[in-house]
Coordinates of all heavy atoms in Angstrom, one line a residue:
M1 N -20.6 -29.4 -23.1 CA -20.6 -29.1 -24.5 C -20.7 -30.4 -25.4 O -21.4 -30.4 -26.4 CB -19.3 -28.4 -24.8 CG -19.0 -28.1 -26.3 SD -20.1 -26.9 -26.9 CE -19.4 -26.5 -28.5
V2 N -19.9 -31.5 -25.0 CA -19.9 -32.8 -25.7 C -21.3 -33.3 -25.7 O -21.8 -33.8 -26.7 CB -18.9 -33.7 -25.1 CG1 -19.1 -35.1 -25.7 CG2 -17.5 -33.2 -25.3
Y3 N -22.0 -33.3 -24.5 CA -23.3 -33.9 -24.4 C -24.3 -33.1 -25.3 O -25.2 -33.7 -26.0 CB -23.8 -34.0 -23.0 CG -23.1 -35.0 -22.2 CD1 -22.2 -34.6 -21.2 CD2 -23.3 -36.3 -22.4 CE1 -21.4 -35.5 -20.5 CE2 -22.5 -37.3 -21.7 CZ -21.7 -36.9 -20.7 OH -20.9 -37.8 -20.0
A4 N -24.2 -31.8 -25.3 CA -25.1 -30.9 -26.1 C -24.9 -31.2 -27.6 O -25.9 -31.4 -28.4 CB -24.8 -29.5 -25.9
L5 N -23.7 -31.5 -28.0 CA -23.4 -31.9 -29.4 C -23.9 -33.2 -29.8 O -24.4 -33.4 -30.9 CB -21.9 -31.8 -29.7 CG -21.2 -30.4 -29.9 CD1 -19.7 -30.5 -29.9 CD2 -21.8 -29.7 -31.1
L6 N -23.8 -34.1 -28.8 CA -24.4 -35.5 -29.1 C -25.9 -35.4 -29.2 O -26.5 -36.1 -30.1 CB -24.0 -36.4 -27.9 CG -22.6 -37.0 -27.9 CD1 -22.3 -37.7 -26.6 CD2 -22.5 -38.0 -29.1
V7 N -26.5 -34.6 -28.3 CA -28.0 -34.5 -28.4 C -28.4 -33.8 -29.8 O -29.3 -34.2 -30.4 CB -28.5 -33.7 -27.3 CG1 -30.0 -33.3 -27.5 CG2 -28.4 -34.5 -25.9
A8 N -27.6 -32.8 -30.2 CA -27.9 -32.1 -31.4 C -27.7 -33.1 -32.6 O -28.5 -33.1 -33.5 CB -27.0 -30.9 -31.6
A9 N -26.7 -33.9 -32.6 CA -26.4 -34.8 -33.6 C -27.5 -35.9 -33.7 O -28.0 -36.2 -34.8 CB -25.0 -35.5 -33.4
V10 N -27.9 -36.5 -32.6 CA -28.9 -37.5 -32.6 C -30.3 -36.9 -33.0 O -31.0 -37.4 -33.9 CB -29.0 -38.2 -31.2 CG1 -30.3 -39.1 -31.2 CG2 -27.8 -39.0 -31.0
G11 N -30.6 -35.8 -32.4 CA -31.9 -35.1 -32.7 C -32.0 -34.7 -34.2 O -33.1 -34.9 -34.8
S12 N -31.0 -34.1 -34.7 CA -31.0 -33.6 -36.1 C -31.0 -34.8 -37.1 O -31.6 -34.8 -38.1 CB -30.0 -32.6 -36.4 OG -28.7 -33.2 -36.1
G13 N -30.3 -35.9 -36.7 CA -30.3 -37.1 -37.5 C -31.7 -37.7 -37.6 O -32.2 -38.2 -38.6
V14 N -32.4 -37.7 -36.4 CA -33.8 -38.2 -36.4 C -34.7 -37.3 -37.2 O -35.6 -37.8 -37.9 CB -34.3 -38.3 -34.9 CG1 -35.8 -38.6 -34.8 CG2 -33.5 -39.4 -34.2
L15 N -34.5 -36.0 -37.1 CA -35.3 -35.0 -38.0 C -35.0 -35.4 -39.4 O -36.0 -35.4 -40.2 CB -34.9 -33.6 -37.6 CG -35.4 -32.6 -38.6 CD1 -36.9 -32.5 -38.5 CD2 -34.8 -31.2 -38.4
G16 N -33.8 -35.5 -39.8 CA -33.4 -35.8 -41.2 C -34.1 -37.1 -41.7 O -34.7 -37.2 -42.8
S17 N -34.0 -38.2 -40.9 CA -34.6 -39.5 -41.3 C -36.1 -39.4 -41.3 O -36.7 -40.0 -42.3 CB -34.1 -40.5 -40.3 OG -32.7 -40.8 -40.4
T18 N -36.7 -38.8 -40.4 CA -38.2 -38.7 -40.4 C -38.6 -37.8 -41.6 O -39.6 -38.2 -42.3 CB -38.7 -38.0 -39.0 OG1 -38.2 -38.8 -38.0 CG2 -40.2 -37.9 -39.0
S19 N -38.0 -36.7 -41.8 CA -38.3 -35.9 -43.0 C -38.1 -36.7 -44.3 O -38.9 -36.5 -45.2 CB -37.4 -34.6 -43.0 OG -37.7 -33.8 -41.9
L20 N -37.1 -37.5 -44.3 CA -36.9 -38.3 -45.6 C -38.0 -39.3 -45.8 O -38.5 -39.4 -47.0 CB -35.5 -39.1 -45.4 CG -35.1 -39.9 -46.6 CD1 -34.8 -39.0 -47.8 CD2 -33.8 -40.6 -46.2
K21 N -38.6 -39.9 -44.8 CA -39.7 -40.8 -44.9 C -40.9 -39.9 -45.4 O -41.7 -40.4 -46.2 CB -40.0 -41.4 -43.6 CG -41.3 -42.2 -43.6 CD -41.0 -43.7 -43.5 CE -42.3 -44.4 -43.3 NZ -42.2 -45.7 -44.0
L22 N -41.1 -38.7 -44.8 CA -42.2 -37.9 -45.2 C -42.1 -37.3 -46.6 O -43.1 -36.8 -47.1 CB -42.4 -36.7 -44.2 CG -42.8 -37.2 -42.8 CD1 -42.7 -36.0 -41.8 CD2 -44.2 -37.7 -42.8
S23 N -40.9 -37.3 -47.2 CA -40.7 -36.7 -48.5 C -41.3 -37.4 -49.6 O -41.4 -36.8 -50.7 CB -39.2 -36.4 -48.7 OG -38.6 -37.6 -49.1
E24 N -41.7 -38.6 -49.4 CA -42.3 -39.5 -50.5 C -41.4 -39.5 -51.7 O -41.8 -39.2 -52.8 CB -43.7 -39.0 -50.8 CG -44.7 -39.1 -49.7 CD -46.0 -38.5 -49.9 OE1 -46.3 -38.1 -51.1 OE2 -46.8 -38.5 -49.0
G25 N -40.2 -39.9 -51.5 CA -39.2 -40.1 -52.6 C -38.8 -38.7 -53.2 O -38.6 -38.6 -54.4
F26 N -38.6 -37.8 -52.3 CA -38.1 -36.4 -52.6 C -39.2 -35.6 -53.5 O -38.8 -34.7 -54.2 CB -36.8 -36.4 -53.4 CG -35.7 -36.8 -52.4 CD1 -35.1 -38.1 -52.5 CD2 -35.1 -35.9 -51.5 CE1 -34.1 -38.5 -51.6 CE2 -34.1 -36.3 -50.7 CZ -33.6 -37.5 -50.7
R27 N -40.4 -36.0 -53.3 CA -41.5 -35.3 -54.1 C -42.1 -34.1 -53.4 O -42.9 -33.4 -53.9 CB -42.5 -36.3 -54.6 CG -42.0 -37.2 -55.6 CD -43.1 -38.1 -56.2 NE -43.8 -38.9 -55.2 CZ -43.4 -40.1 -54.9 NH1 -42.4 -40.7 -55.5 NH2 -44.1 -40.8 -54.0
R28 N -41.9 -34.1 -52.1 CA -42.5 -33.0 -51.2 C -41.4 -32.1 -50.7 O -40.5 -32.5 -50.0 CB -43.3 -33.6 -50.1 CG -44.4 -34.6 -50.5 CD -45.2 -35.2 -49.4 NE -45.8 -34.2 -48.6 CZ -46.0 -34.4 -47.3 NH1 -45.6 -35.5 -46.6 NH2 -46.5 -33.4 -46.6
P29 N -41.5 -30.8 -51.1 CA -40.3 -29.9 -50.9 C -40.0 -29.6 -49.4 O -38.9 -29.5 -49.0 CB -40.7 -28.6 -51.6 CG -42.2 -28.7 -52.0 CD -42.5 -30.2 -51.9
W30 N -41.1 -29.5 -48.5 CA -40.8 -29.1 -47.2 C -40.1 -30.3 -46.4 O -39.1 -30.0 -45.7 CB -42.0 -28.7 -46.4 CG -42.4 -27.3 -46.9 CD1 -43.5 -26.9 -47.5 CD2 -41.7 -26.1 -46.6 NE1 -43.5 -25.6 -47.8 CE2 -42.4 -25.0 -47.3 CE3 -40.5 -25.8 -46.0 CZ2 -42.0 -23.7 -47.3 CZ3 -40.1 -24.4 -46.0 CH2 -40.8 -23.4 -46.6
P31 N -40.5 -31.5 -46.6 CA -39.8 -32.6 -46.0 C -38.4 -32.7 -46.5 O -37.4 -33.1 -45.8 CB -40.6 -33.8 -46.2 CG -42.1 -33.3 -46.3 CD -41.9 -32.0 -47.0
V32 N -38.2 -32.5 -47.8 CA -36.9 -32.5 -48.4 C -36.0 -31.5 -47.7 O -34.8 -31.8 -47.4 CB -36.9 -32.3 -49.9 CG1 -35.5 -32.1 -50.5 CG2 -37.6 -33.5 -50.6
A33 N -36.5 -30.3 -47.5 CA -35.7 -29.2 -46.8 C -35.4 -29.7 -45.4 O -34.3 -29.5 -44.9 CB -36.6 -27.9 -46.8
G34 N -36.3 -30.3 -44.7 CA -36.1 -30.9 -43.4 C -35.0 -32.0 -43.4 O -34.2 -32.1 -42.5
T35 N -35.0 -32.8 -44.4 CA -33.9 -33.8 -44.6 C -32.6 -33.2 -44.7 O -31.6 -33.5 -44.0 CB -34.3 -34.7 -45.8 OG1 -35.5 -35.3 -45.7 CG2 -33.2 -35.7 -46.0
V36 N -32.4 -32.2 -45.6 CA -31.2 -31.5 -45.8 C -30.7 -30.8 -44.6 O -29.6 -30.9 -44.2 CB -31.3 -30.6 -47.0 CG1 -30.0 -29.7 -47.2 CG2 -31.5 -31.3 -48.3
L37 N -31.7 -30.1 -43.9 CA -31.3 -29.4 -42.7 C -30.9 -30.4 -41.6 O -29.9 -30.1 -40.9 CB -32.5 -28.5 -42.2 CG -32.3 -27.8 -40.9 CD1 -31.3 -26.7 -41.0 CD2 -33.7 -27.2 -40.4
G38 N -31.7 -31.4 -41.4 CA -31.4 -32.4 -40.3 C -30.0 -33.0 -40.5 O -29.2 -33.1 -39.6
Y39 N -29.8 -33.5 -41.7 CA -28.5 -34.2 -41.9 C -27.4 -33.2 -41.9 O -26.3 -33.6 -41.6 CB -28.6 -35.0 -43.2 CG -29.4 -36.3 -43.1 CD1 -30.1 -36.7 -44.2 CD2 -29.5 -37.0 -41.9 CE1 -30.9 -37.9 -44.1 CE2 -30.3 -38.2 -41.9 CZ -31.0 -38.6 -42.9 OH -31.7 -39.8 -42.9
G40 N -27.6 -32.0 -42.4 CA -26.6 -31.0 -42.4 C -26.1 -30.6 -40.9 O -25.0 -30.6 -40.6
V41 N -27.1 -30.4 -40.1 CA -26.8 -30.1 -38.7 C -26.1 -31.3 -38.0 O -25.1 -31.2 -37.2 CB -28.1 -29.7 -37.9 CG1 -27.8 -29.6 -36.4 CG2 -28.6 -28.4 -38.4
A42 N -26.6 -32.5 -38.3 CA -26.0 -33.7 -37.8 C -24.5 -33.8 -38.2 O -23.6 -34.1 -37.3 CB -26.7 -35.0 -38.2
T43 N -24.2 -33.5 -39.4 CA -22.9 -33.6 -40.0 C -21.9 -32.6 -39.2 O -20.8 -33.0 -38.9 CB -22.8 -33.4 -41.5 OG1 -23.7 -34.4 -42.1 CG2 -21.4 -33.5 -42.0
V44 N -22.4 -31.4 -39.1 CA -21.6 -30.4 -38.4 C -21.4 -30.8 -36.9 O -20.2 -30.7 -36.4 CB -22.3 -29.0 -38.5 CG1 -21.6 -28.0 -37.5 CG2 -22.3 -28.5 -39.9
A45 N -22.4 -31.2 -36.2 CA -22.3 -31.7 -34.9 C -21.3 -32.8 -34.7 O -20.4 -32.9 -33.9 CB -23.6 -32.1 -34.3
L46 N -21.4 -33.8 -35.6 CA -20.5 -35.0 -35.6 C -19.0 -34.5 -35.9 O -18.1 -35.0 -35.2 CB -20.9 -36.0 -36.7 CG -22.2 -36.7 -36.4 CD1 -22.6 -37.5 -37.6 CD2 -22.1 -37.6 -35.1
G47 N -18.9 -33.6 -36.8 CA -17.5 -33.0 -37.1 C -16.9 -32.4 -35.9 O -15.7 -32.6 -35.6
L48 N -17.7 -31.6 -35.2 CA -17.2 -31.0 -33.9 C -16.9 -32.0 -32.8 O -15.9 -31.9 -32.1 CB -18.2 -30.0 -33.4 CG -18.4 -28.7 -34.4 CD1 -19.6 -27.9 -33.9 CD2 -17.2 -27.9 -34.4
L49 N -17.7 -33.0 -32.8 CA -17.5 -34.1 -31.8 C -16.1 -34.8 -32.0 O -15.5 -35.4 -31.1 CB -18.6 -35.1 -31.8 CG -19.8 -34.6 -31.0 CD1 -21.1 -35.5 -31.4 CD2 -19.6 -34.6 -29.5
M50 N -15.7 -34.9 -33.3 CA -14.5 -35.6 -33.6 C -13.3 -35.1 -32.9 O -12.3 -35.8 -32.7 CB -14.2 -35.6 -35.1 CG -15.2 -36.3 -36.0 SD -15.2 -38.0 -35.8 CE -16.7 -38.5 -36.8
E51 N -13.3 -33.9 -32.4 CA -12.2 -33.2 -31.7 C -12.2 -33.7 -30.2 O -11.2 -33.5 -29.6 CB -12.3 -31.7 -31.7 CG -12.2 -31.1 -33.1 CD -12.4 -29.6 -33.1 OE1 -12.9 -29.1 -32.1 OE2 -12.0 -29.0 -34.1
H52 N -13.3 -34.3 -29.7 CA -13.3 -34.7 -28.3 C -13.5 -36.1 -28.0 O -13.2 -36.5 -26.9 CB -14.6 -33.9 -27.7 CG -14.5 -32.4 -27.9 ND1 -13.6 -31.6 -27.3 CD2 -15.2 -31.6 -28.8 CE1 -13.8 -30.4 -27.6 NE2 -14.8 -30.4 -28.6
L53 N -14.0 -36.9 -28.9 CA -14.3 -38.4 -28.6 C -13.8 -39.3 -29.7 O -13.7 -38.8 -30.9 CB -15.8 -38.5 -28.5 CG -16.5 -37.8 -27.4 CD1 -18.0 -38.0 -27.5 CD2 -16.1 -38.4 -26.0
P54 N -13.6 -40.5 -29.4 CA -13.2 -41.5 -30.5 C -14.4 -41.7 -31.5 O -15.5 -41.7 -31.1 CB -13.0 -42.7 -29.7 CG -12.8 -42.4 -28.3 CD -13.5 -41.1 -28.1
I55 N -14.0 -41.9 -32.7 CA -15.0 -42.0 -33.8 C -16.0 -43.1 -33.5 O -17.1 -43.0 -33.8 CB -14.3 -42.1 -35.1 CG1 -15.3 -41.9 -36.3 CG2 -13.5 -43.4 -35.2 CD1 -14.6 -41.8 -37.6
G56 N -15.5 -44.2 -33.0 CA -16.4 -45.4 -32.8 C -17.4 -45.0 -31.8 O -18.6 -45.4 -31.9
V57 N -17.0 -44.3 -30.7 CA -18.0 -44.0 -29.7 C -19.0 -43.0 -30.3 O -20.3 -43.1 -30.0 CB -17.3 -43.3 -28.4 CG1 -18.3 -42.7 -27.4 CG2 -16.4 -44.4 -27.8
I58 N -18.6 -42.0 -31.0 CA -19.5 -41.0 -31.6 C -20.5 -41.7 -32.4 O -21.7 -41.4 -32.3 CB -18.6 -40.0 -32.4 CG1 -17.8 -39.1 -31.5 CG2 -19.6 -39.1 -33.2 CD1 -16.7 -38.3 -32.3
H59 N -20.1 -42.5 -33.4 CA -21.0 -43.1 -34.2 C -21.9 -44.2 -33.5 O -23.1 -44.4 -34.0 CB -20.3 -43.7 -35.5 CG -20.0 -42.7 -36.4 ND1 -20.8 -42.1 -37.4 CD2 -18.9 -41.9 -36.6 CE1 -20.3 -41.2 -38.0 NE2 -19.1 -41.0 -37.6
A60 N -21.5 -44.8 -32.5 CA -22.3 -45.7 -31.8 C -23.4 -45.0 -31.1 O -24.6 -45.4 -31.1 CB -21.5 -46.5 -30.8
V61 N -23.0 -43.9 -30.4 CA -24.1 -43.1 -29.7 C -25.0 -42.5 -30.7 O -26.2 -42.5 -30.5 CB -23.4 -42.0 -28.8 CG1 -24.5 -41.1 -28.3 CG2 -22.6 -42.7 -27.7
W62 N -24.5 -41.9 -31.8 CA -25.3 -41.3 -32.8 C -26.3 -42.3 -33.4 O -27.5 -42.1 -33.5 CB -24.4 -40.6 -33.8 CG -25.2 -39.9 -35.0 CD1 -26.2 -38.9 -34.8 CD2 -25.1 -40.1 -36.3 NE1 -26.6 -38.5 -36.0 CE2 -25.9 -39.2 -37.0 CE3 -24.3 -41.0 -37.1 CZ2 -26.1 -39.2 -38.4 CZ3 -24.4 -40.9 -38.5 CH2 -25.3 -40.0 -39.1
G63 N -25.7 -43.3 -34.0 CA -26.5 -44.3 -34.7 C -27.4 -45.1 -33.7 O -28.6 -45.3 -34.1
G64 N -27.0 -45.4 -32.5 CA -27.8 -46.1 -31.6 C -28.9 -45.3 -31.1 O -30.1 -45.7 -31.0
G65 N -28.6 -44.0 -30.7 CA -29.6 -43.1 -30.2 C -30.7 -42.9 -31.3 O -31.9 -42.9 -31.0
A66 N -30.2 -42.6 -32.5 CA -31.2 -42.4 -33.5 C -32.0 -43.6 -33.8 O -33.2 -43.5 -34.1 CB -30.4 -42.0 -34.8
A67 N -31.4 -44.8 -33.8 CA -32.3 -46.0 -34.0 C -33.3 -46.2 -33.0 O -34.5 -46.6 -33.3 CB -31.3 -47.3 -34.0
V68 N -33.0 -46.0 -31.7 CA -34.0 -46.1 -30.7 C -35.1 -45.1 -30.9 O -36.3 -45.4 -30.8 CB -33.3 -45.9 -29.3 CG1 -34.3 -45.8 -28.2 CG2 -32.3 -47.1 -29.0
L69 N -34.7 -43.8 -31.1 CA -35.7 -42.8 -31.2 C -36.6 -43.0 -32.5 O -37.8 -42.8 -32.5 CB -35.1 -41.4 -31.2 CG -34.6 -40.9 -29.9 CD1 -33.8 -39.6 -30.1 CD2 -35.6 -40.8 -28.9
L70 N -35.9 -43.5 -33.5 CA -36.7 -43.7 -34.8 C -37.6 -44.9 -34.7 O -38.7 -44.9 -35.3 CB -35.7 -43.8 -36.0 CG -35.1 -42.5 -36.5 CD1 -34.0 -42.8 -37.4 CD2 -36.2 -41.7 -37.1
T71 N -37.3 -45.8 -33.8 CA -38.3 -46.9 -33.5 C -39.5 -46.4 -32.9 O -40.7 -46.7 -33.3 CB -37.6 -48.0 -32.6 OG1 -36.5 -48.5 -33.2 CG2 -38.6 -49.1 -32.3
V72 N -39.4 -45.4 -32.0 CA -40.5 -44.7 -31.3 C -41.3 -43.9 -32.3 O -42.5 -43.9 -32.4 CB -40.1 -43.9 -30.1 CG1 -41.2 -43.1 -29.5 CG2 -39.4 -44.8 -29.1
V73 N -40.5 -43.1 -33.1 CA -41.1 -42.2 -34.1 C -41.9 -43.1 -35.2 O -43.0 -42.7 -35.6 CB -40.1 -41.3 -34.8 CG1 -40.7 -40.7 -36.1 CG2 -39.5 -40.3 -33.9
G74 N -41.3 -44.2 -35.6 CA -42.0 -45.1 -36.5 C -43.3 -45.6 -35.9 O -44.3 -45.7 -36.7
R75 N -43.3 -45.9 -34.7 CA -44.5 -46.4 -34.1 C -45.6 -45.3 -34.0 O -46.8 -45.4 -34.3 CB -44.3 -47.0 -32.7 CG -45.4 -47.4 -31.9 CD -46.2 -48.6 -32.6 NE -47.4 -49.0 -31.9 CZ -48.5 -49.0 -32.5 NH1 -48.7 -48.9 -33.8 NH2 -49.6 -49.3 -31.8
V76 N -45.2 -44.2 -33.4 CA -46.1 -43.1 -33.1 C -46.6 -42.3 -34.3 O -47.8 -42.0 -34.5 CB -45.4 -42.1 -32.1 CG1 -46.3 -40.9 -31.8 CG2 -45.2 -42.8 -30.7
V77 N -45.7 -42.0 -35.2 CA -46.0 -41.1 -36.3 C -46.5 -42.0 -37.5 O -47.4 -41.6 -38.2 CB -44.7 -40.3 -36.7 CG1 -45.1 -39.5 -38.0 CG2 -44.3 -39.4 -35.6
F78 N -45.8 -43.1 -37.8 CA -46.1 -43.9 -39.0 C -46.9 -45.1 -38.7 O -47.2 -45.9 -39.7 CB -44.8 -44.2 -39.7 CG -44.1 -42.9 -40.1 CD1 -42.8 -42.6 -39.5 CD2 -44.6 -42.1 -41.1 CE1 -42.1 -41.5 -39.9 CE2 -43.9 -41.0 -41.4 CZ -42.7 -40.7 -40.8
G79 N -47.2 -45.4 -37.4 CA -48.0 -46.6 -37.1 C -47.3 -47.9 -37.4 O -47.9 -49.0 -37.5
E80 N -46.0 -48.0 -37.4 CA -45.2 -49.2 -37.6 C -45.3 -50.1 -36.4 O -45.4 -49.6 -35.3 CB -43.7 -48.8 -37.9 CG -43.6 -48.0 -39.2 CD -42.1 -47.6 -39.4 OE1 -41.3 -47.8 -38.6 OE2 -41.9 -47.0 -40.5
R81 N -45.3 -51.4 -36.7 CA -45.4 -52.4 -35.6 C -44.1 -52.5 -34.9 O -43.0 -52.5 -35.5 CB -45.8 -53.7 -36.2 CG -47.2 -53.8 -36.7 CD -47.6 -55.2 -37.1 NE -47.5 -56.1 -36.0 CZ -47.0 -57.3 -36.2 NH1 -46.6 -57.7 -37.4 NH2 -46.9 -58.1 -35.2
I82 N -44.1 -52.7 -33.6 CA -42.9 -53.0 -32.8 C -43.0 -54.4 -32.4 O -43.8 -54.7 -31.5 CB -42.8 -52.0 -31.6 CG1 -42.6 -50.6 -32.1 CG2 -41.6 -52.4 -30.8 CD1 -42.4 -49.6 -31.0
T83 N -42.2 -55.3 -32.9 CA -42.2 -56.7 -32.6 C -41.2 -57.0 -31.5 O -40.4 -56.2 -31.2 CB -41.9 -57.5 -33.9 OG1 -40.5 -57.2 -34.3 CG2 -42.8 -57.2 -35.0
V84 N -41.3 -58.2 -31.0 CA -40.3 -58.7 -30.0 C -38.9 -58.6 -30.6 O -37.9 -58.2 -29.9 CB -40.7 -60.1 -29.5 CG1 -39.6 -60.7 -28.6 CG2 -42.0 -60.0 -28.8
V85 N -38.8 -59.0 -31.8 CA -37.5 -59.0 -32.4 C -36.9 -57.6 -32.5 O -35.7 -57.4 -32.3 CB -37.5 -59.7 -33.8 CG1 -36.2 -59.6 -34.6 CG2 -37.9 -61.2 -33.7
R86 N -37.7 -56.7 -32.9 CA -37.3 -55.3 -33.0 C -36.9 -54.8 -31.7 O -35.9 -54.0 -31.5 CB -38.5 -54.5 -33.6 CG -38.0 -53.2 -34.3 CD -39.1 -52.5 -35.0 NE -39.2 -53.0 -36.4 CZ -40.0 -52.5 -37.3 NH1 -40.7 -51.5 -37.1 NH2 -40.0 -53.0 -38.5
L87 N -37.7 -55.1 -30.6 CA -37.4 -54.6 -29.3 C -36.0 -55.3 -28.8 O -35.2 -54.6 -28.2 CB -38.4 -55.0 -28.3 CG -39.7 -54.1 -28.3 CD1 -40.7 -54.7 -27.3 CD2 -39.4 -52.7 -28.0
A88 N -35.8 -56.5 -29.2 CA -34.5 -57.2 -28.8 C -33.4 -56.4 -29.5 O -32.3 -56.2 -28.9 CB -34.5 -58.6 -29.2
G89 N -33.6 -56.1 -30.8 CA -32.6 -55.3 -31.5 C -32.2 -54.0 -30.9 O -31.1 -53.6 -30.7
V90 N -33.3 -53.3 -30.5 CA -33.1 -52.0 -29.8 C -32.3 -52.2 -28.5 O -31.4 -51.5 -28.1 CB -34.4 -51.3 -29.5 CG1 -34.3 -50.1 -28.6 CG2 -35.0 -50.9 -30.8
G91 N -32.6 -53.3 -27.7 CA -31.9 -53.6 -26.5 C -30.4 -53.9 -26.8 O -29.6 -53.5 -26.0
L92 N -30.2 -54.6 -27.8 CA -28.8 -54.9 -28.2 C -28.0 -53.6 -28.5 O -26.9 -53.4 -28.2 CB -28.7 -55.9 -29.3 CG -29.1 -57.3 -29.0 CD1 -29.2 -58.2 -30.3 CD2 -28.1 -58.0 -28.0
I93 N -28.7 -52.7 -29.3 CA -28.1 -51.4 -29.6 C -27.7 -50.6 -28.3 O -26.6 -50.2 -28.2 CB -29.0 -50.6 -30.5 CG1 -29.1 -51.3 -31.9 CG2 -28.5 -49.2 -30.6 CD1 -30.2 -50.7 -32.8
V94 N -28.7 -50.5 -27.5 CA -28.5 -49.8 -26.2 C -27.3 -50.4 -25.4 O -26.4 -49.8 -24.9 CB -29.8 -49.7 -25.3 CG1 -29.5 -49.1 -24.0 CG2 -30.8 -48.9 -26.1
G95 N -27.4 -51.8 -25.3 CA -26.3 -52.5 -24.6 C -24.9 -52.3 -25.2 O -23.9 -52.0 -24.5
G96 N -24.9 -52.2 -26.5 CA -23.6 -52.0 -27.2 C -23.1 -50.6 -26.9 O -21.9 -50.3 -26.7
V97 N -24.0 -49.6 -27.0 CA -23.6 -48.2 -26.7 C -23.1 -48.1 -25.3 O -22.1 -47.4 -25.0 CB -24.7 -47.2 -27.0 CG1 -24.4 -45.8 -26.5 CG2 -25.0 -47.2 -28.5
V98 N -23.8 -48.7 -24.3 CA -23.3 -48.7 -22.9 C -22.0 -49.3 -22.8 O -21.1 -48.7 -22.1 CB -24.4 -49.4 -22.0 CG1 -23.8 -49.6 -20.6 CG2 -25.7 -48.6 -22.0
L99 N -21.8 -50.4 -23.4 CA -20.4 -51.1 -23.3 C -19.3 -50.2 -23.8 O -18.3 -50.1 -23.2 CB -20.5 -52.4 -24.0 CG -21.2 -53.6 -23.3 CD1 -21.2 -54.8 -24.2 CD2 -20.5 -53.9 -22.0
L100 N -19.5 -49.5 -24.9 CA -18.6 -48.7 -25.5 C -18.2 -47.5 -24.6 O -17.1 -47.1 -24.5 CB -19.0 -48.1 -26.9 CG -18.8 -49.1 -28.1 CD1 -19.5 -48.5 -29.3 CD2 -17.3 -49.3 -28.3
N101 N -19.3 -47.0 -23.9 CA -19.0 -45.9 -23.1 C -18.5 -46.2 -21.7 O -18.0 -45.4 -21.0 CB -20.4 -45.1 -22.9 CG -20.7 -44.4 -24.2 OD1 -19.9 -43.8 -24.8 ND2 -22.0 -44.5 -24.6
L102 N -18.5 -47.5 -21.3 CA -17.8 -47.9 -20.1 C -16.3 -47.8 -20.1 O -15.7 -47.8 -19.1 CB -18.2 -49.4 -19.8 CG -19.6 -49.6 -19.3 CD1 -19.9 -51.0 -19.1 CD2 -20.0 -48.8 -18.0
T103 N -15.8 -47.5 -21.3 CA -14.3 -47.3 -21.4 C -13.9 -46.0 -20.9 O -12.7 -45.7 -20.8 CB -13.8 -47.4 -22.9 OG1 -14.5 -46.3 -23.6 CG2 -14.2 -48.8 -23.5
G104 N -14.9 -45.1 -20.5 CA -14.5 -43.8 -19.9 C -14.3 -42.8 -20.9 O -13.8 -41.7 -20.6
S105 N -14.7 -43.0 -22.2 CA -14.5 -42.0 -23.2 C -15.5 -40.8 -23.1 O -15.2 -39.7 -23.6 CB -14.7 -42.6 -24.6 OG -13.7 -43.6 -24.7
L106 N -16.6 -41.0 -22.5 CA -17.5 -39.9 -22.3 C -17.4 -39.3 -21.0 O -17.7 -39.1 -20.1 CB -19.0 -40.4 -22.5 CG -19.5 -40.4 -24.0 CD1 -20.9 -41.0 -24.0 CD2 -19.4 -39.1 -24.6

């Protein structure tokens, strides 16, 4: 259950952020709806996770997972460049999430 909620939180956060980029400053209604839906589902999933995991672990996994996936989405969907510095940042994020989870909280 906890892993399903984490996946839902990360996935819906990515949907919300991607939709926000596609909304062109909230001028396109369907992406705006995707933004509200994505962030709404993420908020509910995060709220449910608060009963099972420490807040720091939840937000590290949520933010880190979303950052990694959004780097891929940025490249594939929006043609953004992935530099060595950006890859190093993603590596640091993943390493930080792994370290937090070594405490046995998951």
Side-chain angles (χ1 to χ4, degrees):
M1 175 73 165
V2 171
Y3 290 108
L5 285 171
L6 280 170
V7 168
V10 171
S12 58
V14 169
L15 170 68
S17 294
T18 303
S19 297
L20 186 59
K21 174 112 172 143
L22 292 169
S23 76
E24 296 176 6
F26 290 103
R27 290 188 300 270
R28 298 179 61 213
W30 287 112
V32 169
T35 300
V36 172
L37 176 67
Y39 288 145
V41 170
T43 301
V44 170
L46 291 169
L48 294 171
L49 282 165
M50 296 291 174
E51 297 178 342
H52 304 286
L53 296 171
I55 190 169
V57 172
I58 293 167
H59 281 278
V61 172
W62 179 56
V68 170
L69 289 175
L70 285 168
T71 299
V72 174
V73 168
R75 174 68 185 128
V76 172
V77 176
F78 302 111
E80 296 174 356
R81 291 185 57 223
I82 297 179
T83 64
V84 172
V85 173
R86 206 174 269 188
L87 283 176
V90 168
L92 289 170
I93 290 168
V94 171
V97 170
V98 168
L99 286 174
L100 279 171
N101 289 316
L102 287 177
T103 63
S105 298
L106 276 176

